[in-house]
């Protein structure tokens, strides 16, 4: 029986929280490298994959946001070091299915698990220079200016979002 990729990801996130419950902080509070992205497509990961990769990177001390499958690293001329362990992620794709009898199409989500490695687990690859995040106070000022520009009515208080 194949392992349930969704349960694998959930278990790893829960384990990370439990292992560091007293001083646990989500990785975005201490990583300056930004969203994890795929080495081949250069696309950022989305959804639970982001948290999964952040948690895995934080637990292993990886600073690089670059991830890829074994084959993707090979295609880049890099080699995953012997003994390195991958982390599981899930890839979602919308698939259309045509029904021959009535020529109508329906679509469904296809989920497939993949194992990826961080750039710090491979030899023969130089991560592009990662630009450090701007000063947090500048970022907050930019967000404040953006929100003010929307002319939205902002109310503070209450016990929920």
């Amino acid at each position: 029986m194949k392992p349930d990729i969704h349960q694998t990801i959930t278990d790893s996130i829960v384990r990370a929280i439990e292992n560091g419950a007293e001083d646990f902080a989500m990785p975005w509070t201490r990583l300056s490298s930004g969203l994890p992205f795929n080495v081949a497509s250069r696309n950022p990961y989305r959804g639970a994959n982001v948290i999964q990769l952040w948690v895995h990177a934080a637990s292993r001390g990886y600073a690089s946001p670059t991830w890829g499958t074994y084959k993707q690293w090979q295609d880049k001329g890099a080699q995953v070091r012997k003994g390195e362990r991958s982390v599981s992620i899930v890839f979602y794709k919308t698939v259309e299915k045509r029904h021959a009898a009535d020529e109508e199409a329906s679509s469904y989500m296809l989920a497939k698990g993949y194992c990826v490695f961080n750039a710090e687990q491979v030899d023969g690859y130089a991560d592009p220079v990662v630009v450090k995040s701007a000063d947090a106070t500048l970022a907050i000022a930019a967000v404040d200016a953006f929100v003010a520009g929307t002319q939205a009515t902002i109310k503070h208080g209450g016990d929920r979002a």
Side-chain angles (χ1 to χ4, degrees):
M1 183 169 135
K2 287 176 103 174
D4 178 357
I5 186 66
H6 298 98
Q7 192 61 53
T8 300
I9 291 172
T10 301
D11 291 347
S12 71
I13 293 168
V14 169
R15 193 169 38 257
I17 293 169
E18 289 174 347
N19 288 343
E22 292 176 16
D23 63 341
F24 183 79
M26 286 308 292
W28 58 79
T29 64
R30 56 181 187 270
L31 294 179
S32 62
S33 56
L35 287 174
F37 64 91
N38 182 270
V39 69
S41 68
R42 309 304 284 178
N43 291 330
Y45 288 98
R46 299 183 314 199
N49 290 332
V50 174
I51 297 171
Q52 170 76 335
L53 295 174
W54 272 341
V55 166
H56 192 76
S59 71
R60 305 294 191 289
Y62 302 147
S64 174
T66 312
W67 298 83
T69 65
Y70 188 88
K71 178 159 179 8
Q72 288 172 331
W73 287 118
Q74 281 187 319
D75 292 347
K76 292 288 184 183
Q79 178 61 48
V80 175
R81 288 189 290 277
K82 185 176 182 174
E84 292 289 351
R85 307 281 307 200
S86 64
V87 62
S88 298
I89 61 165
V90 66
F91 174 75
Y92 293 98
K93 178 179 178 181
T94 303
V95 178
E96 263 197 37
K97 183 176 182 179
R98 288 221 170 268
H99 305 284
D102 55 13
E103 294 189 21
E104 284 190 31
S106 62
S107 63
Y108 61 94
M109 292 296 290
L110 173 70
K112 184 172 182 182
Y114 285 93
C115 296
V116 294
F117 298 88
N118 187 271
E120 294 182 29
Q121 297 177 276
V122 303
D123 293 323
Y125 178 80
D127 226 352
V129 177
V130 177
V131 178
K132 297 288 184 193
S133 299
D135 181 3
T137 56
L138 295 176
I140 291 170
V143 171
D144 285 343
F146 172 79
V147 172
T150 66
Q151 298 181 343
T153 302
I154 308 293
K155 296 180 181 179
H156 297 276
D159 60 356
R160 62 179 192 238

